């Protein structure tokens, strides 16, 4: 493998694009000597017009269906994206492969083979949330099916999703490569002793999640920390929230610090993100069914115990019992507070930290890209 064209919905070299996945992938390929030509499938100016006008109109007209009307569902995105694919394969006809960090596109314009990598299809995502496929989503779901069935290789980063995809698309070449990846952009070598010391002394709890999916969980966690603070020995505990601004919550007590979305391509905000991560006692996201997986495993890499819901993909990967924190099975302030307190009072707290790190220590992009390149070489 010498040269690839790398497509994503957004700038592949930006840390803002899909949880840093494309950037980490591109950087690792280049470290291994692969020439990478990054291409964004999104037309930012067109998307801005859509998001600021048409999407708001559609939200009113289709108020009966509460799924967001993303630009990615539109025929315009498909048309403009395919034009960029065509132009790219004509510009770099010598490329060995086209890598797509989504399931919506593939190379239909030349003999350069396609590899698709993502988490799950929209059909599977909607099914998991007990949502029907709306009329405006059906065309995009057919587009995903075509891309998946025509690509040479399709990778899901989650085992359960790979299984579901094999049933949905029996003629496609679906893979799960084992493990996952830590999207670490700290730029620093780990200092275990320093991190462990800070965590043992810490009286702070961390939550990471965007408001569109995790706002309710943030509110429940604020309640849980309030319940803990009502006990004398926990009266000075505080909560840091990344991803949600103070103005996006109806009530923010003085023990809660909302940092909003921290952009990892901004040096100061990136540094702040990792300082919060290294200085927290634990990371908590009790959201049922799905709990910000990428931020959880990244926190684990930095020796952070977790309190999460036992959602299917997490249990499939790490087991019904975890040695690096607690599963939260009751989505109430009281239930969350009980599990948070259990981690605080754990006599083997340092072991929880070390277990968190060792569990995901091999989840590096270097190892994952080696698996991808090996898969291609074998085919």
């Amino acid at each position: 493998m010498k040269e690839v064209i790398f497509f994503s919905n957004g700038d592949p070299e930006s840390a803002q694009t899909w949880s840093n996945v494309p950037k980490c992938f591109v950087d690792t390929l280049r470290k291994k000597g692969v020439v990478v030509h990054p291409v964004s499938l999104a037309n930012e100016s067109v998307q801005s017009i859509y998001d600021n006008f048409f999407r708001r109109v559609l939200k009113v007209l289709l108020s009966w269906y509460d799924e967001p009307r993303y630009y990615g569902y539109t025929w315009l995105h498909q048309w403009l994206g395919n034009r960029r694919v065509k132009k790219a394969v004509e510009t770099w006809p010598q490329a060995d492969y086209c890598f797509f960090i989504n399931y919506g596109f593939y190379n239909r314009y030349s003999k350069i083979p396609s590899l698709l990598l993502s988490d799950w299809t929209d059909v599977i995502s909607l099914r998991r949330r007990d949502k029907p496929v709306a009329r405006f989503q059906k065309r995009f779901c057919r587009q995903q099916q075509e891309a998946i069935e025509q690509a040479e290789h399709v990778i899901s980063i989650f085992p359960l999703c790979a299984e579901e995809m094999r049933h949905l698309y029996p003629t496609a070449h679906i893979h799960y490569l084992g493990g996952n990846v830590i999207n670490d952009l700290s730029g620093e070598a780990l200092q275990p002793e320093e991190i462990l010391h800070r965590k043992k002394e810490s009286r702070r709890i961390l939550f990471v999640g965007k408001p569109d999916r995790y706002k309710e969980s943030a509110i429940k966690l604020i309640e849980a920390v309030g319940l803990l603070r009502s006990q004398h020995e926990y009266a000075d505990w505080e909560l840091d929230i990344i991803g949600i601004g103070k103005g996006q919550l109806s009530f923010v007590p003085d023990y809660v610090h909302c940092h909003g979305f921290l952009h990892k391509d901004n040096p100061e905000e990136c540094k702040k993100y990792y300082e919060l991560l290294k200085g927290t006692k634990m990371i908590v996201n009790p959201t049922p069914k799905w709990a910000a997986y990428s931020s959880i495993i990244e926190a684990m890499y930095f020796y952070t115990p977790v309190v999460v819901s036992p959602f299917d993909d997490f249990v499939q990967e790490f087991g019904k019992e975890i040695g690096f924190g607690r599963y939260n099975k009751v989505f109430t302030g009281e239930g969350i507070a009980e599990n948070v307190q259990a981690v605080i009072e754990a006599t083997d707290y340092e072991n929880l930290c070390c277990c968190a790190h060792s569990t995901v220590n091999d989840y590096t992009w270097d190892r994952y890209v080696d698996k991808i390149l090996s898969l291609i070489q074998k085919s």
Side-chain angles (χ1 to χ4, degrees):
M1 176 67 66
K2 297 180 180 179
E3 192 167 346
V4 302
I5 309 173
F6 195 100
F7 302 91
S8 65
N9 290 327
D11 181 2
E13 297 181 283
S14 171
Q16 295 188 48
T17 303
W18 191 40
S19 299
N20 328 128
V21 169
K23 175 175 173 55
C24 292
F25 199 167
V26 168
D27 289 349
T28 307
L29 284 169
R30 286 175 172 161
K31 287 177 183 176
K32 293 182 179 294
V34 178
V35 175
V36 181
H37 305 292
V39 178
S40 171
L41 293 167
N43 186 308
E44 286 76 12
S45 58
V46 174
Q47 183 171 352
S48 178
I49 294 171
Y50 174 86
D51 287 342
N52 291 314
F53 178 71
F54 290 104
R55 184 176 170 184
R56 295 181 181 182
V57 173
L58 289 172
K59 186 175 182 179
V60 174
L61 294 177
L62 301 173
S63 58
W64 57 271
Y65 191 73
D66 61 0
E67 279 294 299
R69 285 84 181 159
Y70 293 121
Y71 169 72
Y73 289 136
T74 66
W75 67 267
L76 188 59
H77 173 58
Q78 181 183 11
W79 182 68
L80 292 172
N82 278 319
R83 283 186 62 187
R84 293 193 174 189
V85 174
K86 183 179 181 181
K87 182 180 179 181
V89 297
E90 290 173 350
T91 303
W92 300 292
Q94 75 282 3
D96 299 301
Y97 245 89
C98 291
F99 285 4
F100 293 85
I101 309 304
N102 58 64
Y103 293 141
F105 294 87
Y106 71 102
N107 174 27
R108 65 178 76 209
Y109 304 105
S110 76
K111 293 184 179 180
I112 303 174
S114 300
L115 179 143
L116 281 54
L117 181 148
S118 192
D119 42 19
W120 45 67
T121 65
D122 278 55
V123 169
I124 293 173
S125 177
L126 290 166
R127 181 186 296 173
R128 288 183 168 203
R129 288 177 284 139
D130 300 319
K131 300 282 187 180
V133 178
R135 181 179 297 179
F136 71 91
Q137 294 169 316
K138 288 182 179 179
R139 182 203 50 76
F140 182 71
C141 290
R142 290 194 298 269
Q143 177 184 333
Q144 285 190 327
Q145 180 174 351
E146 179 187 356
I148 289 167
E149 291 177 344
Q150 295 299 319
E152 276 67 26
H153 295 290
V154 181
I155 298 171
S156 173
I157 58 177
F158 298 113
L160 289 180
C161 182
E163 291 178 15
E164 291 183 67
M165 289 176 70
R166 290 187 187 108
H167 290 294
L168 281 174
Y169 318 107
T171 63
H173 303 104
I174 310 293
H175 309 277
Y176 169 68
L177 301 182
N180 210 288
V181 282
I182 305 296
N183 301 320
D184 176 19
L185 295 180
S186 67
E188 302 175 358
L190 283 177
Q191 303 291 335
E193 291 185 6
E194 176 191 345
I195 292 174
L196 288 171
H197 174 73
R198 289 182 62 181
K199 289 187 177 296
K200 284 187 286 186
E201 298 299 318
S202 176
R203 302 184 76 80
R204 304 180 79 94
I205 296 163
L206 180 65
F207 175 92
V208 180
K210 295 180 179 179
D212 57 346
R213 181 172 292 188
Y214 301 114
K215 182 176 178 179
E216 184 182 357
S217 293
I219 293 171
K220 292 284 187 184
L221 181 54
I222 291 172
E223 178 188 347
V225 176
L227 291 172
L228 282 173
R229 284 172 58 91
S230 66
Q231 303 177 48
H232 176 74
E233 62 269 37
Y234 303 118
D236 59 344
W237 279 75
E238 299 181 344
L239 171 63
D240 290 294
I241 295 179
I242 297 176
I244 302 176
K246 185 175 182 179
Q248 294 172 302
L249 296 170
S250 57
F251 174 66
V252 180
D254 58 6
Y255 58 84
V256 177
H257 309 281
C258 294
H259 303 278
F261 186 84
L262 297 178
H263 300 84
K264 289 185 179 179
D265 55 350
N266 179 306
E268 291 184 4
E269 293 185 18
C270 185
K271 182 179 180 180
K272 186 175 185 179
Y273 182 95
Y274 286 104
E275 282 300 304
L276 290 169
L277 202 60
K278 289 183 286 188
T280 190
K281 193 77 169 183
M282 72 192 77
I283 186 168
V284 182
N285 191 324
T287 312
K289 294 188 177 181
W290 187 259
Y293 178 93
S294 293
S295 62
I296 294 295
I297 63 169
E298 184 176 23
M300 290 169 59
Y301 185 72
F302 283 84
Y303 293 84
T304 312
V306 307
V307 174
V308 296
S309 67
F311 59 95
D312 290 346
D313 293 271
F314 203 88
V315 173
Q316 174 79 5
E317 192 158 354
F318 300 116
K320 295 181 179 180
E321 302 291 334
I322 53 175
F324 48 84
R326 300 267 294 195
Y327 279 136
N328 185 79
K329 299 178 181 179
V330 182
F331 191 56
T332 64
E334 293 81 1
I336 298 165
E338 180 182 340
N339 287 302
V340 168
Q341 185 173 345
V343 173
I344 293 172
E345 295 181 350
T347 56
D348 60 344
Y349 175 77
E350 185 171 333
N351 289 338
L352 297 182
C353 297
C354 293
C355 181
H357 173 76
S358 63
T359 299
V360 299
N361 186 42
D362 291 338
Y363 287 18
T364 65
W365 269 104
D366 185 70
R367 292 175 186 240
Y368 202 79
V369 169
D370 281 345
K371 293 177 184 179
I372 292 172
L373 298 180
S374 176
L375 172 69
I376 291 172
Q377 290 167 2
K378 291 178 181 177
S379 60

